[in-house]
Amino acid sequence: MDPATEKHYVSADNARTFVHSVLTGNGVSPENATIVADCLVRADLRGVDTHGINRIPSYMERIRQGVLDAKANPVLNQITPVVAQVDGQNGFGFVAAHLGMKRAIEMAREFGIGFVSVKHSNHFGMSAWVVQQALDAGMMSLVFTNSSPALPVWGGREKLMGVSPLACGAPAGKEKPFILDMAPSIAARGKIYKAARRGEKIPSDWALDGEGRPTDDPHKALEGVMLPMGGPKGSALAVMMDVFSGVLSGSAFAGHVTNPYDPSKPADVGHFLVAIKPDLFMGLEEFKERMDYLYQRVVGSEKMAGVDRIYFPGEIEQITHEERLKTGIPYVQAEIDALNREAEKVGAERIVIDRK
């Protein structure tokens, strides 16, 4: 087996412990480090490797450059009984979003719905972890964020809109919950960074190079633009994320959010979070039964030729989560080496590999 592509497996507990030690070594409080580590490892467990612990080197570089405040704590401001705003204080987006959804859930428990706008934040990784936070509290949710420019608007050629994910969720009864977490681009930009990191090619319909031509080279793709899914539809969704997350919150928008890999200035990301009590119009058990019925109808529908199984949105990632809890999370040697370099910089323990 090629050593460059050979997988090393790390348990979720070891991954969390490693990330927590690197974060606290860089000045993050133990409480905030726990939130960040858990969110990053959740992404790796779900198979969203582009938003997992491999983000640590870029986050730590932003701390060293002084454009992400490791010690910051978000500030909550209650606007109305069902609306609040969180000022992320240029700290970790995970911490700001966690506080925001926590408050949205509290408002929804009392009033049926809670809406929180987050400003002056940073990249918060995989949106599904925020959805899961609401699901764990028995809530439906909407989770939006804006991000640094990577997409042209339909008909344009410059990077203007972010590859900003749209996410939402709803609890179920006996079946798996509904979890949607998708970018308005054909592929998430993190997949291109991952391919570049691993020396892999990308599909030629994901992006254009700096001269506007299709490319399978991830490095050239990063010099160009991502392509929106569904043409003008994906472009319009990216604009929508900017309206709700950037314009409304008071954070950067219209192409002014800073790339998380650019350590030159604060990112100023905005988020939009909503929690909804699922039993507003019927009993909770009836709601869950209806969700289970929807699940059964979706996965049990007639399959097209060549399809073995139909999955509910988010189900593949939930299955991957269950599998990786048992087998460990796979990383290649280059990723392990990059992570260990971060540990060495702050005298933290190196990552523990459970097996190859």
Side-chain angles (χ1 to χ4, degrees):
M1 180 178 289
D2 182 353
T5 59
E6 183 181 10
K7 299 296 192 298
H8 303 274
Y9 290 83
V10 177
S11 72
D13 286 343
N14 282 336
R16 283 192 197 93
T17 298
F18 169 81
V19 174
H20 192 278
S21 65
V22 171
L23 289 168
T24 54
N26 280 276
V28 182
S29 72
E31 296 79 12
N32 290 349
T34 296
I35 293 170
V36 177
D38 183 61
C39 295
L40 290 173
V41 173
R42 278 177 182 252
D44 279 336
L45 285 172
R46 287 176 65 84
V48 188
D49 306 319
T50 55
H51 290 62
I53 71 172
N54 280 308
R55 290 277 183 158
I56 281 294
S58 67
Y59 292 157
M60 298 308 98
E61 182 60 24
R62 293 185 68 76
I63 289 174
R64 287 191 289 270
Q65 294 289 335
V67 292
L68 191 162
D69 187 350
K71 295 181 171 62
N73 285 304
V75 176
L76 179 71
N77 181 27
Q78 195 71 37
I79 308 298
T80 78
V82 296
V83 177
Q85 183 166 59
V86 170
D87 185 333
Q89 301 283 307
N90 192 34
F92 275 99
F94 303 93
V95 179
H98 184 273
L99 174 63
M101 181 52 77
K102 179 176 180 288
R103 184 61 190 134
I105 290 166
E106 291 168 349
M107 292 186 288
R109 281 206 181 103
E110 185 172 0
F111 299 106
I113 190 168
F115 153 49
V116 177
S117 176
V118 182
K119 65 180 178 178
H120 307 327
S121 185
N122 280 281
H123 187 259
F124 69 18
M126 171 191 73
S127 296
W129 75 261
V130 194
V131 173
Q132 189 64 52
Q133 183 182 348
L135 287 173
D136 290 343
M139 295 287 173
M140 302 172 69
S141 63
L142 293 171
V143 176
F144 300 169
T145 185
N146 66 357
S147 57
S148 57
L151 284 175
V153 293
W154 187 245
R157 57 174 291 179
E158 66 172 308
K159 292 180 182 178
L160 184 61
M161 292 295 110
V163 185
S164 307
L166 161 67
C168 55
K174 297 177 181 178
E175 306 295 355
K176 286 183 169 57
F178 170 77
I179 301 177
L180 172 67
D181 181 0
M182 68 176 208
S185 55
I186 293 175
R189 184 167 47 174
K191 289 186 177 181
I192 295 184
Y193 282 111
K194 176 183 173 182
R197 190 170 61 242
R198 294 188 171 186
E200 300 169 349
K201 298 290 187 182
I202 61 171
S204 58
D205 63 347
W206 281 11
L208 304 178
D209 65 17
E211 297 180 358
R213 296 176 300 199
T215 181
D216 63 1
D217 184 330
H219 297 283
K220 290 183 179 179
L222 292 170
E223 296 171 359
V225 294
M226 303 290 296
L227 290 173
M229 66 175 186
K233 296 180 181 179
S235 173
L237 284 173
V239 175
M240 182 182 83
M241 294 298 101
D242 217 23
V243 171
F244 281 84
S245 302
V247 175
L248 179 63
S249 69
S251 281
F253 67 103
H256 296 296
V257 174
T258 305
N259 189 303
Y261 292 95
D262 174 5
S264 66
K265 61 181 179 179
D268 199 15
V269 179
H271 317 308
F272 174 87
L273 313 172
V274 180
I276 304 165
K277 207 164 176 279
D279 54 348
L280 290 175
F281 311 114
M282 65 190 73
L284 182 59
E285 289 310 308
E286 182 182 357
F287 175 88
K288 289 182 175 181
E289 288 172 1
R290 290 167 67 86
M291 284 299 300
D292 285 350
Y293 178 71
L294 175 61
Y295 172 89
Q296 292 157 6
R297 287 283 289 166
V298 169
V299 303
S301 59
E302 293 187 15
K303 296 180 280 289
M304 65 184 291
V307 172
D308 295 324
R309 178 175 175 180
I310 294 172
Y311 295 90
F312 206 52
E315 185 174 14
I316 292 175
E317 292 83 358
Q318 291 171 74
I319 292 170
T320 301
H321 183 279
E322 292 162 5
E323 291 174 348
R324 289 188 172 185
L325 278 176
K326 299 173 184 174
T327 65
I329 302 164
Y331 304 102
V332 299
Q333 189 62 50
E335 293 167 336
I336 296 290
D337 291 344
L339 291 167
N340 281 334
R341 284 194 291 271
E342 292 301 326
E344 290 163 5
K345 288 173 182 174
V346 293
E349 293 291 325
R350 294 166 65 87
I351 196 164
V352 177
I353 297 173
D354 292 277
R355 66 179 180 84
K356 291 186 178 181

